[in-house]
Amino acid sequence: FQRSTSDWGYVGDLVEDDDKIGLYSYKVQSTITSRLANTMIQAKMVNNAKRSQHIVFDVQVPKGAFIDNFTMDVNGITFTSKIREKSEARKMYSQAKAKGKAAGIVRSNALDMENFKTEVNVPPGTRIQFELHYHEMIRRKLSSYEHIISVKPGRLAKHMEVDVRIIEPQGLRYVHVPNSLGDHFDGITTISKGEKKAHISFKPTMAQQRKCPTCSSTAVDGNFVVQYDVNRETTGGELEIFNGYFIHFFAPENLDPLPKNILFVIDVSGSMWGLKMKQTIEAMKAILSELRAADQFSLIDFNHNVRCWRDNLVSATPAQVEDAKKYIQTIHPNGGTNINEALLRATFILNEAQNLGMLDPNSVSMIVLVSDGDPTVGELKLTTIQKNMKQSIKDEFSLFCLGIGFDVDYDFLQRIATDNRGMAQRIFGNQETSAQMKNFYNQVSTPLLKKIQFNYPQESVSDVTQSSFHNYFGGSEIVVAGKVDTENLQHLESIVTATAANAELVMETLRDVEELDGFMKKDKYADPEFTKKLWAYLTVNQMLAERNTAPTAALKRNITKSILQMSLDHHIVTPFTAMLIENAEKDEIMLADQPKDPRRGCCPGTLGLTPNAPNNNKGIPAWANVTAVPVSFMPEQRSPPVSSLSINRVDNDPHFIIHLPKSQRNICFNINSEPGKILNLVSDPGTGVVVNGQLVGAKKTENKKLNTYFGKIGFYFKNKGLKVEITTETITLKDGSYGITLTWSDTGHIIRKQLLISVKKESNVTITVGEEMSFMVLLHRVWKNHPVNVDFLGIYIPPENQFSPAAHGLIGQFVSEPAVYIHHQRPGQAPEKPQATMEVKGNKLTVTRGLQKDYRTDRVLGTDVPCWFVHNSGKGFIDGHYKDYLVPHLYSFLKKP
């Protein structure tokens, strides 16, 4: 995989932006061999400035693809990659970092696309070449294979090319390239299709890339999409054997649809308000219209409560469908999110119908969940909800999940769907929500077979991937792979069968091995290892799914070892491996791995795989384009994702709630101090971040006590030289002599030095620092003539924020989670408030079980959060005494004792 920059040729006539960085070429090459797509993205760039500066390689990789190689060539010095076990790779990286030889770190997320971002600081005149390789299996949906390649060069390229080749031994039925990049490029793509091969080429000239004839910016910014399908035998099954592996493709079409028993479970919590709810209603009305007469259905909508349109399944008659549409139209979103109870209600309805003999034996039962958020009411522990679903569904029916928007825990939805023989899909809360929902439903609306079992002769095959499937839906495809003994092919040809609960035996078609062998070896573009890679791809994904549902820790460890070995053997990055990128002398090193929280990206200025969102007018500009932008007002954006299960918060008078992720506990304490005092919440000399809160008192005492609240919160980002002051009246950003102020009556954004302040009118302020950390400040308004209460602020800090180990403060000290042991639970003074003994930091404390309020989803009533309460201002749980955390000024670091 080593590359050289010697073939660049003449690099003059490059169009440069103000940064004087030229893009000599941007090339994408992708070859699909029997559904296996190998993709290479290469960029050649040059720094023509008279100073050193960062050059960025930022590409999008499809979710589920395996990155298998990354190389970089800087002025002829080549960096190559190798896969290592994650802890070993991190150790090597840490050693290099200690010597000042580490350039960055790569991380990933769980969105539908992942940004692979590499940022390298290079001196003037440097030529640099980046090259990324990944592979994936192209899945069939709605009778079409769709290969999506993100093409976002970011600037004009002297040479631009997207080259796709398709090699399908079954033969190509059609090839189509929609104009996904826009009408600007109409007629530029060429397609050459043969019986079993196709070549697609997209090579716009520099003039054609321009947004307008005089523009210096590129119009190439989107996805290049290739759609195709293959010819099929009447049996619908095909076996391909090559180089010691077999691939079994199964996609019968000429079958009558099976009746469905379907429960739609719809989130109507407050966060669904507005466009998302409008689009969901529109989609549901269209989906209900497509139900067949033989189908049975019902609707459940939920917020903090659960409602059923009908308490049992009803036939999809025109009258029932029309009544359901009217019911959907009356939904008004509000309140919290009780996912657990809603899903349990749905499973109860289906199980009861099954037990009463109300379901056709040949019918297919399913639940479709539509939600945009994490649970905030009822059962909050995701692993418990997952367990409840598995126990309640009992493999009798399928669960499909639609996650709307960016805040939803898509990983969780994927887990519960995969656990229960379904699938999940993320859709974005925009104008396309309705179309995306209908598209997802269409994928599961036509069940053709149920309980399918593939049978392979043990004399011929081994290490077969998953061979039993709950359902087969029209327009999709089932793929099974395994190793094959080529000496016993006669067994494979005569014995392979597929059975289903509602169909006769299906004999499979074995493609002539010698014919396939000759065909593949004659084609120079075909991947000679396509069967091996497909088998590894399916095997690793199957083991990852099995690991999620492993009933014992020992079994989970064994599966993890198998995944690790497969990752190393096949040179792919998985959750248990990392990619080391180093030069020939091994004295410069970078690391590519996955973080603990897949929803978060990495820090700017490093290599990084970070979340990607659709490019629309509601998005925040990419950080590379907002280094120093004055205030701008843009449409309102939702706050960044912060789960109610994983947040550290200070609210009310002031109540601290510390979430401990490892032990999954919430620990609470109050601080009772004096008005005007300033408490340090976070003091991190490692990242240069300070968060302090100044107390304000109530108008008068109650029960001989003067309640205090946060009336002012200060943020100091020392490394950026930025200060943010938030009061109950204004939000102010200070950068030396520069300053700008918004009021709580504004909705808008302030962007400066890669720090974003988002203000939601009379509600909250979100501060986002690159991909590293975020904070939310909530405004609490009271009646201005109230005799006692005053306006105050609450602050919410995700524990995923990338503080350094040196962080301290009332909240910052819990970056390093202390070991907490709670035992000897016993009745308290009140029946609803039991007591227990908590051992922490060498102290034994008496703690009380109670509820505190989270006001992010309901600013008036709040959402109850159960926690163990530590008395005496947190004494014994926090380090030292709370008075140790008093600081003299709003931007003061905490002095170490």
Side-chain angles (χ1 to χ4, degrees):
F1 289 106
Q2 294 197 11
R3 297 287 185 267
S4 171
T5 55
S6 60
D7 61 339
W8 281 37
Y10 178 59
V11 295
D13 299 328
L14 298 184
V15 175
E16 303 161 351
D17 291 341
D18 294 339
D19 56 13
K20 297 292 183 183
I21 292 175
L23 179 59
Y24 176 74
S25 76
Y26 193 89
K27 182 185 295 185
V28 179
Q29 291 181 343
S30 191
T31 301
I32 303 171
T33 310
S34 277
R35 287 56 146 198
L36 177 78
N38 289 294
T39 302
M40 180 274 289
I41 302 178
Q42 181 194 83
K44 297 180 179 180
M45 308 174 80
V46 59
N47 178 17
N48 286 325
K50 295 182 179 179
R51 57 183 174 82
S52 295
Q53 59 178 337
H54 290 283
I55 288 185
V56 177
F57 176 65
D58 189 355
V59 299
Q60 291 182 2
V61 178
K63 182 185 178 298
F66 286 151
I67 294 173
D68 49 46
N69 195 61
F70 173 67
T71 61
M72 189 170 69
D73 192 303
V74 185
N75 280 346
I77 300 173
T78 302
F79 290 75
T80 56
S81 64
K82 57 187 177 184
I83 303 295
R84 290 288 184 269
E85 190 273 328
K86 179 168 285 190
S87 60
E88 177 191 350
R90 285 179 171 174
K91 181 179 179 181
M92 294 172 67
Y93 175 76
S94 297
Q95 291 171 347
K97 189 174 182 181
K99 298 175 183 177
K101 296 294 185 178
I105 190 167
V106 174
R107 301 204 176 189
S108 69
N109 63 81
L111 300 185
D112 295 328
M113 279 282 190
E114 298 172 339
N115 278 17
F116 184 98
K117 184 176 180 181
T118 310
E119 189 169 336
V120 182
N121 191 276
V122 296
T126 297
R127 297 180 183 183
I128 186 166
Q129 175 178 300
F130 302 99
E131 190 167 299
L132 179 70
H133 294 251
Y134 63 87
H135 66 268
E136 59 181 321
M137 189 177 84
I138 308 300
R139 301 279 185 178
R140 189 170 185 254
K141 298 177 182 178
L142 301 176
S143 300
S144 177
Y145 300 98
E146 187 172 72
H147 185 33
I148 300 174
I149 305 171
S150 177
V151 186
K152 298 185 177 184
R155 58 185 76 223
L156 294 172
K158 186 175 181 180
H159 302 284
M160 159 72 69
E161 179 181 4
V162 178
D163 189 90
V164 179
R165 294 183 182 272
I166 305 173
I167 301 109
E168 287 288 356
Q170 279 183 252
L172 292 166
R173 190 160 67 88
Y174 69 85
V175 176
H176 174 60
V177 180
N179 203 7
S180 54
L181 288 172
D183 296 338
H184 187 93
F185 300 105
D186 190 25
I188 296 177
T189 301
T190 62
I191 303 174
S192 174
K193 176 185 172 296
E195 181 185 354
K196 299 181 179 180
K197 303 177 186 179
H199 180 213
I200 299 99
S201 179
F202 174 71
K203 295 178 69 172
T205 64
M206 190 177 288
Q208 291 169 330
Q209 295 170 45
R210 296 180 189 271
K211 282 188 176 180
C212 66
T214 58
C215 292
S216 60
S217 56
T218 180
V220 182
D221 185 20
N223 292 330
F224 188 82
V225 179
V226 177
Q227 298 169 337
Y228 74 95
D229 200 10
V230 300
N231 299 322
R232 301 186 188 282
E233 303 289 343
T234 55
T235 60
E238 162 118 349
L239 278 164
E240 294 183 1
I241 301 173
F242 191 70
N243 278 358
Y245 293 84
F246 80 86
I247 307 294
H248 184 180
F249 300 108
F250 182 78
E253 293 291 333
N254 299 321
L255 297 168
D256 293 329
L258 300 177
K260 298 189 297 292
N261 313 300
I262 186 167
L263 262 295
F264 297 99
V265 182
I266 304 168
D267 184 347
V268 295
S269 60
S271 57
M272 287 286 287
W273 186 86
L275 181 62
K276 280 192 287 190
M277 195 73 252
K278 180 180 178 183
Q279 294 273 311
T280 299
I281 291 172
E282 179 186 324
M284 282 305 306
K285 289 165 68 176
I287 288 169
L288 289 170
S289 296
E290 294 177 8
L291 291 173
R292 300 181 181 89
D295 294 339
Q296 297 188 91
F297 79 106
S298 189
L299 300 168
I300 293 174
D301 62 291
F302 71 97
N303 45 28
H304 49 284
N305 296 314
V306 177
R307 297 191 308 169
C308 296
W309 167 68
R310 294 285 188 271
D311 289 328
N312 55 280
L313 293 168
V314 299
S315 297
T317 63
Q320 295 283 21
V321 168
E322 195 59 36
D323 193 72
K325 289 181 183 178
K326 291 178 181 177
Y327 177 83
I328 287 284
Q329 197 69 49
T330 64
I331 289 175
H332 296 289
N334 63 84
T337 307
N338 194 342
I339 290 177
N340 185 65
E341 187 178 336
L343 288 176
L344 288 177
R345 185 76 61 87
T347 59
F348 173 80
I349 291 174
L350 283 176
N351 282 322
E352 185 179 44
Q354 175 78 26
N355 295 335
L356 294 175
M358 298 171 58
L359 305 183
D360 183 332
N362 281 333
S363 65
V364 170
S365 299
M366 64 182 75
I367 297 170
V368 177
L369 169 67
V370 180
S371 180
D372 77 331
D374 294 342
T376 61
V377 178
E379 179 57 61
L380 302 180
K381 195 171 182 180
L382 301 183
T383 52
T384 301
I385 298 174
Q386 185 177 351
K387 182 180 179 181
N388 289 345
M389 289 306 99
K390 187 70 175 174
Q391 290 177 344
S392 182
I393 289 176
K394 301 173 185 175
D395 290 337
E396 290 299 318
F397 40 91
S398 299
L399 172 61
F400 299 95
C401 299
L402 270 172
I404 301 180
F406 308 104
D407 295 359
V408 67
D409 189 339
Y410 182 61
D411 261 6
F412 166 65
L413 295 184
Q414 272 195 316
R415 285 198 303 274
I416 61 172
T418 303
D419 279 4
N420 296 289
R421 302 175 181 270
M423 63 180 180
Q425 183 170 315
R426 178 193 294 275
I427 59 179
F428 298 101
N430 55 28
Q431 297 289 347
E432 303 300 320
T433 296
S434 179
Q436 293 174 71
M437 285 183 64
K438 287 184 282 188
N439 181 279
F440 177 81
Y441 172 75
N442 288 338
Q443 293 176 45
V444 300
S445 64
T446 312
L448 299 180
L449 296 171
K450 61 182 291 186
K451 297 183 179 178
I452 309 105
Q453 176 66 53
F454 295 96
N455 308 295
Y456 302 95
Q458 295 182 357
E459 304 93 329
S460 303
V461 301
S462 61
D463 296 331
V464 179
T465 59
Q466 180 181 347
S467 58
S468 62
F469 299 85
H470 196 58
N471 297 311
Y472 166 72
F473 296 97
S476 65
E477 181 175 61
I478 292 174
V479 183
V480 183
K483 296 177 181 178
V484 65
D485 179 3
T486 54
E487 299 298 323
N488 288 301
L489 287 181
Q490 68 276 11
H491 293 289
L492 196 59
E493 187 167 4
S494 60
I495 303 179
V496 176
T497 59
T499 62
N502 62 304
E504 299 294 329
L505 289 177
V506 182
M507 297 301 296
E508 297 308 300
T509 301
L510 174 64
R511 185 156 298 282
D512 185 274
V513 178
E514 292 183 5
E515 177 189 335
L516 180 63
D517 192 70
F519 171 75
M520 287 297 181
K521 289 181 177 177
K522 286 179 183 178
D523 194 296
K524 65 178 182 179
Y525 297 104
D527 184 348
E529 295 191 328
F530 80 95
T531 50
K532 179 180 178 181
K533 288 182 179 178
L534 280 171
W535 173 79
Y537 181 94
L538 291 169
T539 301
V540 170
N541 278 292
Q542 179 182 329
M543 287 193 292
L544 287 169
E546 289 173 352
R547 184 182 182 276
N548 284 335
T549 58
T552 65
L555 180 58
K556 181 171 284 191
R557 283 194 298 270
N558 289 336
I559 296 173
T560 301
K561 289 179 183 178
S562 299
I563 296 172
L564 173 59
Q565 193 58 53
M566 285 282 292
S567 305
L568 296 174
D569 291 344
H570 295 270
H571 201 268
I572 52 179
V573 179
T574 66
F576 308 107
T577 56
M579 179 182 284
L580 285 170
I581 303 121
E582 57 189 6
N583 61 0
E585 290 74 26
K586 303 185 185 302
D587 60 358
E588 295 284 348
I589 192 169
M590 291 176 283
L591 177 71
D593 74 349
Q594 297 178 329
K596 292 180 180 178
D597 183 349
R599 283 186 290 175
R600 297 193 60 80
C602 180
C603 41
T606 67
L607 301 181
L609 277 169
T610 52
N612 169 56
N615 184 17
N616 56 50
N617 62 350
K618 290 190 178 183
I620 301 302
W623 289 117
N625 300 324
V626 294
T627 49
V629 182
V631 64
S632 60
F633 291 89
M634 292 182 280
E636 178 179 319
Q637 172 181 295
R638 290 194 61 179
S639 302
V642 283
S643 163
S644 63
L645 267 183
S646 57
I647 198 77
N648 295 320
R649 55 183 81 89
V650 191
D651 220 322
N652 223 321
D653 58 345
H655 299 316
F656 286 73
I657 306 178
I658 304 298
H659 176 71
L660 304 177
K662 291 180 183 177
S663 59
Q664 288 293 303
R665 298 184 187 278
N666 294 319
I667 309 297
C668 306
F669 59 92
N670 294 347
I671 297 293
N672 299 309
S673 190
E674 304 168 14
K677 297 292 186 181
I678 301 173
L679 291 170
N680 174 256
L681 306 180
V682 178
S683 178
D684 186 6
T687 60
V689 175
V690 168
V691 184
N692 293 325
Q694 186 170 29
L695 297 174
V696 61
K699 293 176 182 176
K700 64 179 182 180
T701 60
E702 279 189 318
N703 300 322
K704 298 181 180 180
K705 176 191 173 186
L706 182 67
N707 286 330
T708 56
Y709 312 87
F710 281 132
K712 184 184 295 183
I713 295 177
F715 298 81
Y716 179 30
F717 302 95
K718 183 179 179 181
N719 297 343
K720 296 179 181 293
L722 299 178
K723 296 178 180 177
V724 180
E725 179 180 300
I726 300 176
T727 71
T728 56
E729 302 299 328
T730 60
I731 303 96
T732 302
L733 170 72
K734 301 174 183 177
D735 183 1
S737 59
Y738 171 89
I740 188 162
T741 299
L742 297 179
T743 69
W744 281 102
S745 60
D746 296 319
T747 289
H749 305 284
I750 304 173
I751 304 173
R752 193 167 183 86
K753 294 182 179 178
Q754 299 187 357
L755 182 140
L756 167 67
I757 303 174
S758 300
V759 182
K760 187 175 181 180
K761 183 178 179 180
E762 296 295 330
S763 178
N764 61 66
V765 173
T766 302
I767 299 176
T768 308
V769 189
E771 300 292 341
E772 299 163 88
M773 55 185 71
S774 63
F775 308 84
M776 179 191 285
V777 176
L778 204 66
L779 173 66
H780 294 272
R781 287 274 191 235
V782 300
W783 179 43
K784 64 180 180 179
N785 293 325
H786 195 285
V788 178
N789 295 340
V790 294
D791 295 345
F792 64 97
L793 304 171
I795 182 168
Y796 296 73
I797 304 176
E800 296 87 357
N801 279 357
Q802 297 176 20
F803 297 121
S804 78
H808 210 264
L810 286 168
I811 291 177
Q813 64 187 283
F814 297 103
V815 168
S816 299
E817 181 175 332
V820 172
Y821 178 44
I822 297 177
H823 58 92
H824 191 43
Q825 189 168 330
R826 52 197 181 272
Q829 294 180 352
E832 69 276 11
K833 293 184 177 181
Q835 291 185 337
T837 300
M838 181 170 80
E839 295 184 31
V840 59
K841 299 180 179 179
N843 302 312
K844 281 191 176 181
L845 312 173
T846 296
V847 292
T848 304
R849 190 69 168 169
L851 298 173
Q852 293 284 25
K853 294 289 188 181
D854 181 342
Y855 290 94
R856 284 172 299 142
T857 55
D858 187 335
R859 289 193 304 127
V860 179
L861 300 177
T863 301
D864 287 333
V865 176
C867 67
W868 287 103
F869 186 83
V870 181
H871 302 272
N872 301 321
S873 296
K875 186 177 181 181
F877 179 62
I878 64 173
D879 295 337
H881 192 274
Y882 89 85
K883 290 185 178 180
D884 298 335
Y885 298 87
L886 296 174
V887 292
H889 304 293
L890 196 61
Y891 305 112
S892 298
F893 279 84
L894 184 66
K895 291 185 178 180
K896 291 186 177 181

